[in-house]
Amino acid sequence: MSANHDGANLLEVRGLTKIFGTLTACDHIDLNIAKGEIHALLGENGAGKSTLVKMLFGSLEPNSGEIFWNGQAVRITSPGAAKKLGIGMVFQHFSLFEALTAAENIALSLDDGSPISSIAAKARALSYSYGLPLDPESLVGDLSVGERQRIEIIRCLLQTPQLIILDEPTSVLTPQEADKLFETLERLRSEGKSILYISHRLEEVKRICDRATVLRHGKVVGHCNPREQTASSLARMMVGSEVQAVVRAPVEGIETAQPLLEIRGLNRKPATPFSIPLKNISLNVRAGEVIGIAGVAGNGQGEFFESVSGEVLQQDTASVRIRGKDAGGLTITGRRLLGAAFVPEERLGHGAAPRMKLSENLLLSRHATDGKAFVGTGGMVRSGAVYAASQRIIEAMDVRKSAPDPEAAALSGGNLQKFIVGRELDRRPSVMVVNQPTWGVDAGAAAHIRQALIELSRSGSAVLVISQDLDELFEISDAIAVMHNGELSKPMPIAEATFEKVGLLMGGAEPGHAEHTLETA
Amino acid sequence: MMRLELVKRPQRSALFSMLSPFIAFALTIIAGAIMFALLGVNPLNAFKIYFIEPISQVWQLHELAIKAAPLILIAVGLSVCYKANIWNIGAEGQFIFGAIFGSIIPVLFPQFEGPLVLPLMLLLGMVGGAAYAAIPALLKTRFNTNEILTSLMLVYVAQLFLDWLVRGPWRDPQGHGFPQTIQFGDSAVLPELMPDAGRANWGFVFALVAAVLIWILMGRMLKGFEVRVLGSSPRAGRFAGFGLNRMVFFAFLLSGALAGLAGISEVSGAIGQLQPVISPGYGFTAIIVAFLGRLNPLGIVAAGLVLALTYLGGEAVQSALGISDKVARVFQGMLLFFVLGCDTLIHYRIRLIGLALTKQEAPAKLEAAPKLKEAR
């Protein structure tokens, strides 16, 4: 199965190098993928995985190095050339038109001019034969993220590729959906197809991959059989050092603690045809606890965050209460002045203005709450005080940067996230709402951020974390609620929560059903 | 088949960002030399007449200040709009309405005299410009109309309204039927700065003060920060708690008020009465001034003087060489073209997609770049 002898290699990469300016994103990468194997590509964010894959798929041209396909040297100059060779790719971020049907989306990428009806029939047959049932006539906008991923996979399979590249495929799936995907991948392997599987989830790599190539800082640091490794030994290869485990002390007397953030019957109509309405969401976050909200992406988390933060106001002013005061009618500034702090999912362009300096980005969220310290008479900005505060945050959060006060866009994702989280922590907010606290952040920085959130709660604040990363939620939450299709389940105390229970709710099981299992458990 | 593509540069060169206006100016000179040569005049001689002679005497510098004042006043206001990513193209109309509002006192109440007249006129001018600018702002915030179109179209409304006023209700009854209002009384005329040396009036001082104030606003004040955040990343601006609709009104009212001040200063200082045409296109030329000055108020002062010179030079070559004064428009257009071209090339580089790849799909672009053109 994991054939490793010469001649059976479908793809061989020798010394592939890509340089962007002063950064060597890929430095002499060697990689062999045998026929009929699932090969994992492991690495932290910024390790060079995406760059490598883009070169294999023809979106980027390497500066040097060779690619052999079935033993023949090839130049992959475009995605079209890659498809002709037999390389297919399923991207992490889907490129689908929401207003078109699944079949129409597939037809757009097949430029052979065949009629949509025949494409739909083929797609339907293929989808059932691989256990990924899909209705080609359905509008993409109506489909769940898991179903959209199926379209991407079917679209890729229709081109009968020999090598399928999957970029973080399970990041948008429930545990149960991921199981189904794994079955499909094993089926493809048994048909002799090869798969390059990009992930940072070590457990699933151990479970389905035959071999792994680990990248760090653009270099290959090792090839291994993931089944012979432990998750922590793989993590050590990826990170290059031990990752500090997050410590979460149990809280006592939380039942009697005061709720600092109360959400009561929050409803929101969809703002666009493809956004999710929020339905009667209720939740209390008490002083001293971390509540996690799990859910597959696109189930209303973004809409929920906007409603809680005050970027969108509520008609019913009592539907959001902060420290006992009705806040539904207050703007984000008003809510901040009540003691709340917010960290949105998107860093560049939402949490931070990309072309502005870090000190200016500090002012972005704190110009009102720290008005006395940062803004003087007549609306003049005290840039000295702002700069000093930003340096304090940079130090506290260990933000690595190349200049004293660089533009936000010049920082790596992890470092910018540390700054954005640190910017809010520095205020000691009594309510902290974070959407995807460690999305795309390397392991070391992620541990730092998670620990900081737990410590904030233990110092008497209410912390609400929205995340798609279940491992993360189980690590930091005192209770987990699940958002599905705009509805929120009751929070499950962490002692009673399991991956399976949360996964079922993420997939849309009745919230009541979960409560029932809780009572009987 | 060959194709030109713009590919985003990973880094902007700070040096060339600074040099860009100067490179653009040099390119304009070269293109202008070619134009003069084609017109059959010696380019060196023409440049001497165009750029040097109009500012070789003190009184001529005063003329330069008269032309530069409205350009600078309008352009510093526009720079705030453009920084906020709000596209007020209608400063010409706001200029005219400022002039009309400010003229209410000297035209309708000529017997009202004294030291209060002028401040009131200037205030009314600002109110008029701001009120006229409020129309596209209201349309944008209420109905999500495109402010480029509405503000531009309102220019023509303003021009025709002024034309009707001076031919109709506001016409000077003793003016022998000429389409103009009565001459403003003494207390309604903006005083000259140094009457012995030249005609330059207080309008130029207003322009310099406005430039400094806007410079402080944009660089040092929270409001300027708000403008820059909303202009560069509106979603981050909303996260900061800044309202986009409020910003639309702020930018339009501020730039409208400054354009209105320029309008009443021009009428009260340089012209002395209302006529069918009171501006040689200051409101539009100010757009060039704003960009040539890199949307920086202090840069705008320099750019305003340069563009003012193109007006004076146009008049000079017309009288000395018999070339149409439309040459001024050509120079202004070339300057804007080269400035925008230089700015684009600072952010993007041009890539030629050759023959080799045309059989296959063109390589996917990492960052979407607009296609320049397709050439065979």
Side-chain angles (χ1 to χ4, degrees):
Chain A
M1 190 163 64
S2 55
N4 207 0
H5 37 79
D6 286 344
N9 277 340
L10 179 67
L11 180 82
E12 280 186 50
V13 171
R14 293 277 164 273
L16 211 58
T17 301
K18 180 71 192 177
I19 299 167
F20 296 112
T22 56
L23 174 81
T24 308
C26 283
D27 190 355
H28 293 89
I29 303 282
D30 293 335
L31 172 72
N32 294 333
I33 299 176
K35 284 181 182 139
E37 76 163 345
I38 302 182
H39 194 109
L41 188 58
L42 282 171
E44 288 199 277
N45 285 286
K49 291 174 303 190
S50 303
T51 308
L52 174 59
V53 166
K54 278 176 188 156
M55 289 192 285
L56 294 181
F57 197 58
S59 321
L60 274 181
E61 220 171 314
N63 292 84
S64 66
E66 296 167 300
I67 301 173
F68 297 91
W69 180 256
N70 279 321
Q72 301 277 315
V74 288
R75 259 190 77 212
I76 306 173
T77 53
S78 70
K83 281 181 200 163
K84 280 205 186 83
L85 280 178
I87 300 176
M89 175 136 188
V90 176
F91 290 93
Q92 184 181 7
H93 300 285
F94 308 147
S95 44
L96 296 171
F97 294 96
E98 297 198 330
L100 299 181
T101 67
E104 285 166 340
N105 268 290
I106 293 171
L108 276 173
S109 67
L110 306 172
D111 41 7
D112 57 359
S114 43
I116 288 195
S117 57
S118 79
I119 289 172
K122 265 196 267 179
R124 190 191 307 270
L126 200 64
S127 70
Y128 281 93
S129 77
Y130 280 102
L132 299 170
L134 175 73
D135 175 12
E137 312 299 338
S138 49
L139 272 184
V140 169
D142 299 335
L143 298 179
S144 72
V145 185
E147 288 169 312
R148 289 181 201 200
Q149 188 183 53
R150 285 182 199 167
I151 303 176
E152 291 269 359
I153 294 174
I154 298 294
R155 171 152 94 173
C156 175
L157 290 178
L158 272 174
Q159 292 157 349
T160 57
Q162 295 302 304
L163 172 66
I164 301 160
I165 304 172
L166 293 161
D167 191 2
E168 301 270 357
T170 54
S171 63
V172 293
L173 301 180
T174 67
Q176 287 82 358
E177 282 175 319
D179 285 340
K180 255 196 195 144
L181 175 70
F182 297 153
E183 284 170 26
T184 307
L185 297 185
E186 275 158 13
R187 170 95 194 276
L188 287 166
R189 168 168 62 191
S190 69
E191 290 173 4
K193 297 200 190 296
S194 307
I195 290 162
L196 183 59
Y197 190 90
I198 303 166
S199 183
H200 66 272
R201 292 192 174 169
L202 305 171
E203 287 301 335
E204 60 188 45
V205 166
K206 273 170 61 63
R207 180 170 151 195
I208 62 162
C209 294
D210 305 304
R211 281 197 303 151
T213 296
V214 185
L215 297 184
R216 187 164 76 227
H217 301 317
K219 290 191 176 123
V220 173
V221 290
H223 301 280
C224 64
N225 179 343
R227 298 202 174 95
E228 292 163 2
Q229 304 282 329
T230 63
S232 63
S233 70
L234 285 173
R236 214 175 307 126
M237 279 176 89
M238 272 167 59
V239 182
S241 60
E242 290 289 342
V243 175
Q244 290 256 309
V246 171
V247 189
R248 185 171 56 85
V251 276
E252 280 163 28
I254 193 69
E255 293 76 15
T256 57
Q258 188 155 9
L260 294 181
L261 174 66
E262 297 161 83
I263 296 157
R264 295 181 184 166
L266 173 68
N267 288 297
R268 184 177 164 197
K269 292 200 178 71
T272 71
F274 299 116
S275 60
I276 306 288
L278 299 179
K279 297 166 207 152
N280 198 22
I281 291 179
S282 294
L283 181 72
N284 281 350
V285 189
R286 286 169 291 209
E289 70 177 350
V290 179
I291 300 259
I293 293 186
V296 176
N299 270 289
Q301 293 97 324
E303 289 83 353
F304 176 68
F305 179 83
E306 282 183 336
S307 304
V308 176
S309 70
E311 287 169 280
V312 173
L313 304 185
Q314 285 77 51
Q315 299 253 304
D316 174 8
T317 55
S319 61
V320 175
R321 290 166 60 82
I322 293 168
R323 286 173 61 209
K325 296 203 177 65
D326 289 353
L330 295 179
T331 62
I332 188 165
T333 301
R335 296 183 199 198
R336 282 189 180 123
L337 289 171
L338 282 180
F342 309 96
V343 176
E345 175 178 4
E346 286 284 326
R347 289 184 277 270
L348 289 175
H350 192 178
R355 286 281 172 214
M356 292 199 160
K357 293 180 209 155
L358 287 186
S359 59
E360 292 178 299
N361 271 300
L362 170 65
L363 197 59
L364 190 75
S365 75
R366 292 181 49 182
H367 59 88
T369 53
D370 298 67
K372 284 207 183 90
F374 293 161
V375 183
T377 44
M380 303 291 277
V381 174
R382 295 183 207 268
S383 42
V386 177
Y387 180 79
S390 69
Q391 294 301 316
R392 180 175 75 218
I393 291 161
I394 285 165
E395 200 164 319
M397 295 302 286
D398 187 26
V399 178
R400 317 256 169 96
K401 56 192 175 40
S402 52
D405 195 8
E407 287 182 352
L411 261 63
S412 74
N415 280 308
L416 181 56
Q417 184 72 2
K418 281 195 277 188
F419 181 80
I420 292 176
V421 173
R423 170 179 82 186
E424 308 304 332
L425 290 175
D426 183 64
R427 265 179 63 206
R428 315 298 315 163
S430 34
V431 173
M432 176 96 162
V433 183
V434 191
N435 194 2
Q436 314 302 343
T438 63
W439 183 82
V441 172
D442 62 69
H448 193 132
I449 290 172
R450 289 172 191 159
Q451 193 66 55
L453 289 174
I454 292 172
E455 276 161 20
L456 177 69
S457 77
R458 297 309 183 252
S459 70
S461 302
V463 178
L464 181 61
V465 176
I466 304 168
S467 178
Q468 288 162 48
D469 186 342
L470 276 188
D471 299 312
E472 167 169 275
L473 290 179
F474 274 84
E475 210 170 285
I476 64 173
S477 309
D478 299 303
I480 295 181
V482 177
M483 184 160 272
H484 176 76
N485 203 17
E487 291 181 82
L488 191 70
S489 75
K490 271 196 130 176
M492 226 184 277
I494 196 72
E496 298 161 17
T498 63
F499 264 60
E500 201 203 340
K501 282 187 203 165
V502 173
L504 280 174
L505 289 171
M506 285 166 71
E510 283 293 302
H513 169 73
E515 257 189 284
H516 176 69
T517 46
L518 267 184
E519 281 156 16
T520 55
Chain B
M1 192 183 77
M2 299 258 272
R3 204 171 61 189
L4 287 176
E5 257 181 16
L6 288 179
V7 183
K8 195 158 192 174
R9 292 179 195 270
Q11 267 154 346
R12 296 166 297 170
S13 157
L15 176 69
F16 276 94
S17 289
M18 218 173 63
L19 286 180
S20 147
F22 300 100
I23 298 171
F25 191 71
L27 289 170
T28 307
I29 294 292
I30 293 169
I34 295 169
M35 181 184 70
F36 281 131
L38 289 176
L39 286 169
V41 295
N42 178 352
L44 279 180
N45 188 33
F47 279 131
K48 191 165 155 260
I49 295 169
Y50 198 105
F51 287 113
I52 311 225
E53 286 188 354
I55 46 170
S56 49
Q57 295 180 34
V58 174
W59 69 268
Q60 289 173 313
L61 290 176
H62 279 256
E63 293 301 313
L64 187 73
I66 287 178
K67 289 270 189 295
L71 291 176
I72 294 168
L73 259 180
I74 300 169
V76 290
L78 291 182
S79 74
V80 175
C81 282
Y82 300 160
K83 280 270 185 191
N85 211 7
I86 292 164
W87 299 96
N88 180 3
I89 308 294
E92 183 83 359
Q94 293 140 27
F95 177 95
I96 291 171
F97 257 81
I100 293 174
F101 265 58
S103 302
I104 289 175
I105 297 175
V107 173
L108 297 183
F109 308 98
Q111 65 283 13
F112 174 36
E113 288 180 354
L116 267 180
V117 171
L118 207 51
L120 268 178
M121 283 169 65
L122 297 175
L123 195 67
L124 270 174
M126 292 171 77
V127 169
Y132 205 56
I135 300 172
L138 186 73
L139 291 173
K140 182 177 175 64
T141 51
R142 263 297 172 80
F143 305 111
N144 201 23
T145 54
N146 184 324
E147 75 274 22
I148 298 177
L149 296 178
T150 51
S151 63
L152 177 62
M153 290 191 293
L154 282 166
V155 171
Y156 307 117
V157 176
Q159 287 170 339
L160 292 171
F161 183 70
L162 172 65
D163 194 77
W164 171 76
L165 267 185
V166 296
R167 288 174 200 280
W170 283 16
R171 190 175 59 190
D172 179 4
Q174 272 95 50
H176 309 290
F178 280 108
Q180 58 195 30
T181 62
I182 54 167
Q183 287 280 338
F184 292 179
D186 285 344
S187 53
V189 169
L190 206 56
E192 288 169 2
L193 287 169
M194 290 171 273
D196 298 337
R199 295 201 308 134
N201 58 43
W202 278 85
F204 191 64
V205 175
F206 297 158
L208 295 183
V209 170
V212 170
L213 289 181
I214 299 286
W215 180 70
I216 293 171
L217 172 86
M218 293 300 288
R220 299 271 181 275
M221 293 177 68
L222 187 63
K223 195 71 189 174
F225 175 71
E226 185 177 337
V227 171
R228 289 185 287 130
V229 171
L230 281 170
S232 63
S233 25
R235 197 144 180 244
R238 199 174 60 159
F239 179 70
F242 301 145
L244 191 57
N245 283 353
R246 274 205 327 259
M247 179 51 61
V248 169
F249 272 102
F250 174 79
F252 262 106
L253 293 182
L254 178 69
S255 61
L258 287 174
L261 179 63
I264 186 58
S265 301
E266 178 75 6
V267 168
S268 147
I271 304 175
Q273 65 187 158
L274 277 182
Q275 306 164 348
V277 175
I278 54 169
S279 156
Y282 287 136
F284 294 115
T285 308
I287 298 171
I288 306 175
V289 172
F291 280 101
L292 191 65
R294 317 218 59 72
L295 302 183
N296 175 325
L298 304 186
I300 284 171
V301 173
L305 291 168
V306 170
L307 266 292
L309 183 54
T310 64
Y311 277 118
L312 294 182
E315 290 165 12
V317 289
Q318 185 177 33
S319 59
L321 299 173
I323 298 173
S324 160
D325 67 348
K326 293 284 185 294
V327 160
R329 290 289 181 88
V330 175
F331 267 101
Q332 293 169 2
M334 286 195 298
L335 206 47
L336 180 64
F337 175 81
F338 285 122
V339 167
L340 295 179
C342 288
D343 283 358
T344 307
L345 290 179
I346 285 168
H347 288 103
Y348 299 90
R349 64 189 172 81
I350 293 179
R351 191 167 65 166
L352 202 63
I353 308 293
L355 289 160
L357 297 172
T358 47
K359 286 268 163 64
Q360 295 155 354
E361 289 169 40
K365 285 138 284 179
L366 268 180
E367 284 175 273
K371 260 184 234 168
L372 250 195
K373 62 174 177 182
E374 299 215 355
R376 238 166 241 283

